[in-house]
Amino acid sequence: MTATVPAPAAEWVRCPGCHDIVYGPRLARSLQVCPGCGRHGRLTAPERIEQLLDPGWTAIEVPEVSADALHFVDSVPYPQRLAAARRQTGLREAVLCVRGTVDGRRVVAAVMDFRFLGGSLGAGVGERITIAAETAVRERTPFLLATASGGARMQEGALALMQMVKTSQAMAMLDEAGILTVGIVTDPTYGGVAASYATLPDVILAEPAARVGFAGPRVIAQTTGRTLPEGFQTAEFLLAQGLVDAVVPRPALRRAIARLLSAHDPKPRPAAADHSVRIVRRAEDLPERDGLAAVRLARHADRPTTEEYATFMLEEFMELRGDRVSGDCAAIVGGVGLLDGRPVVLVGHQKGRDTRERVQRNFGMPSPSGYRKAGRLMRLAAKLGLPVVTLIDTPGADPGIEAEQRGQAWAIAENLRLMSGLPVPVVAVVTGEGGSGGALALGVANTVLALSNAVYSVISPEGCAAILWKDPDIPREEAVAKAADALRLHARELLAYGIVDGVIGEPGEGAHTDPVLTMSLVRTAVAAAVRELARVDPAGLVAGRRRRFRSYGRVAEGDGR
């Protein structure tokens, strides 16, 4: 298929955002991104495809559909409007569907063009999206969407409305087939497109300041009589609401897509031999510990964080954000990356490094949206058949009123149920503090490891002391120390009771004294555990995980060691 070649750039262009005069060819070279204010102008479908895909893409042939079933006429008959749009754009419809590659990895792409009747969704668009999705399923190829639309096409009436279901079914078909779907929402994406296939991909990237929603802001303001929040319905607003994964500037989109595609089509390599990590499997091989001293080391502010582990352990790591419901909890970090060439999903608690970040991340105590984000990423792992790695380091769940109002108990319980049935390998590492259900919500794993200065307990020593050590004659510090010992929460005891399968020795006086070596040891241990579990079939993984947790509490005599 030959699309219309864009007209040569005007010599000088006034940016609608900052009103600066920009040299036209320079604006074209910068992909219509204003060098002054960064405003992202619209691209045609062929231009966007040329930007994102390798040279040599080919159009997917789609049979014509009968579009004018209503014989609709406004100022002109609908067929005349279609004919004019086709002449002006060189496209048959408001979406161009192609086969191609991104950095050599195959992809089926459906790219919308706002020039064609406002990128509206009608029977022709719905048929093309569906055929492209069917092609991706048949060829086992990731599906890429780029949307730009004002909504459903009025000239096709209820038939246009039905395309929302048709295209949503196509996305469900891709889910059922385990095909990765990636969406790019551009300005604007509204109405029936936003409420169907644009917001259903596994990963949603948004261009800066792209406006996305069902109803337009003017309609909402007029209907409700309310002043809308600053930046309402922009990509940045949606990111804060947990509805998109990332806001990515146009020049960086191709690279971001390539990183995501590596999770669907990895290029494995043999793991490097590394025998420097020794995992302790017997409790008697670990020293007796003072409980309170262990807690203090587990909480040390200089221990590696999940963000640092992710960057160090995984190649091509890309953070994915939001629970797609209510928000993006900063106390949970997760995303996809390559561990020894094997794609994995990593999720962990993030306490933060300095005081400011710790406050911003709520000291690693997740809100319900954090657990839901983790669950969403785990479901993505199950869909794509990727191992899950979790890193546990939290005092516990968010103790606030808002967390309870938003269903904290429900969110934790849902994760426990979800992780129990994941048909993929799950490896958890307690890297610092494992506190209560807030930790366990990431801890339902086939293999559970702990660093040697980590702790794991039903409650913090402070909480336990406040509830059970009420004697006013016992100093608080002494009560907390008694509780820490009584809870048997350090690595030696955890291994003795079978809570963890192995303990990774920390260097020097602890992980905080050599974070790089600590992260290397964890990477080696996790990679080995994932390789071992990869030999087990999905049913065996689920059965083994359930058998593990079914066994706790069966010891009738003794202390369990």
Side-chain angles (χ1 to χ4, degrees), residues 15 63 93 111 115-116 134 151 166 182 190 194 196 224 227 229-230 238 263 266 289 299 352 366 416 462 466 557:
C15 172
E93 256 298 348
V111 178
R115 298 174 303 159
F116 197 109
E134 291 169 346
K166 179 176 178 176
V182 179
Y190 276 111
S196 58
T224 63
T227 301
E230 182 72 24
L238 297 173
R289 299 291 303 277
R299 292 174 177 172
L416 302 182
E462 294 85 354
E557 301 290 339

Side-chain angles (χ1 to χ4, degrees), residues 11 24 26 41 76 85 124 128 139 144-145 170 271 280 392 438 478 510:
E11 187 170 4
R26 180 187 180 190
V76 299
R128 281 164 169 75
E139 299 178 3
L144 174 65
L145 277 165
V280 179
I392 297 169
E478 182 181 337

Side-chain angles (χ1 to χ4, degrees), residues 239-243 322-329 369-370 373 406:
L239 182 66
Q241 301 303 310
L243 298 174
D323 65 355
R324 298 281 177 87
V325 178
S326 62
D328 179 51
C329 174
S369 66
K373 173 167 66 173
R406 294 189 175 184

Side-chain angles (χ1 to χ4, degrees), residues 298 349 351 392-396 430-440 454-460 489 494:
H349 300 96
K351 284 183 173 178
I392 297 169
D393 185 17
T394 180
V430 186
T431 61
E433 187 176 14
S436 188
L440 189 60
V455 297
Y456 203 178
S457 179
V458 67
I459 193 172
S460 69
L489 42 63
L494 298 174

Side-chain angles (χ1 to χ4, degrees), residues 9-226:
E11 187 170 4
W12 297 99
V13 179
R14 183 182 295 275
C15 172
C18 63
H19 305 294
D20 281 355
I21 302 298
V22 184
Y23 185 50
R26 180 187 180 190
L27 188 62
R29 288 194 300 271
S30 65
L31 305 172
Q32 301 300 321
V33 178
C34 174
C37 68
R39 180 185 181 274
H40 284 50
R42 290 179 186 145
L43 292 179
T44 69
E47 286 172 336
R48 190 171 294 280
I49 290 171
E50 292 291 344
Q51 177 221 341
L52 297 177
L53 273 57
D54 301 331
W57 54 270
T58 58
I60 296 173
E61 294 301 324
V62 180
E64 294 294 338
V65 300
S66 176
D68 191 28
L70 305 184
H71 305 293
F72 192 96
V73 179
D74 47 76
S75 59
V76 299
Y78 177 42
Q80 290 185 23
R81 289 201 180 277
L82 279 176
R86 287 167 178 168
R87 285 194 305 271
Q88 292 163 4
T89 64
L91 302 176
R92 296 299 299 173
E93 256 298 348
V95 64
L96 179 56
C97 302
V98 303
R99 291 184 183 88
T101 59
V102 179
D103 281 357
R105 289 184 168 89
R106 294 188 307 147
V107 68
V108 168
V111 178
M112 300 194 72
D113 197 314
F114 195 80
R115 298 174 303 159
F116 197 109
L117 299 181
S120 51
L121 172 61
V125 171
E127 184 67 11
R128 281 164 169 75
I129 295 290
T130 301
I131 287 180
E134 291 169 346
T135 302
V137 170
R138 187 170 59 251
E139 299 178 3
R140 305 296 303 169
T141 304
F143 187 53
L144 174 65
L145 277 165
T147 58
S149 175
R153 193 168 296 175
M154 292 177 288
Q155 294 91 338
E156 297 185 23
L159 293 172
L161 188 67
M162 296 303 111
Q163 303 306 311
M164 293 173 62
V165 179
K166 179 176 178 176
T167 53
S168 297
Q169 287 179 168
M171 298 300 290
M173 176 180 59
L174 289 158
D175 289 339
E176 293 158 5
I179 302 296
L180 174 68
T181 55
V182 179
I184 304 170
V185 289
T186 75
D187 186 57
T189 296
Y190 276 111
V193 171
S196 58
Y197 57 91
T199 51
L200 291 177
D202 299 316
V203 179
I204 301 176
L205 310 178
E207 289 192 331
R211 295 165 296 162
V212 186
F214 187 56
R218 184 179 303 171
V219 172
I220 296 172
Q222 290 175 348
T223 302
T224 63
R226 297 173 59 186

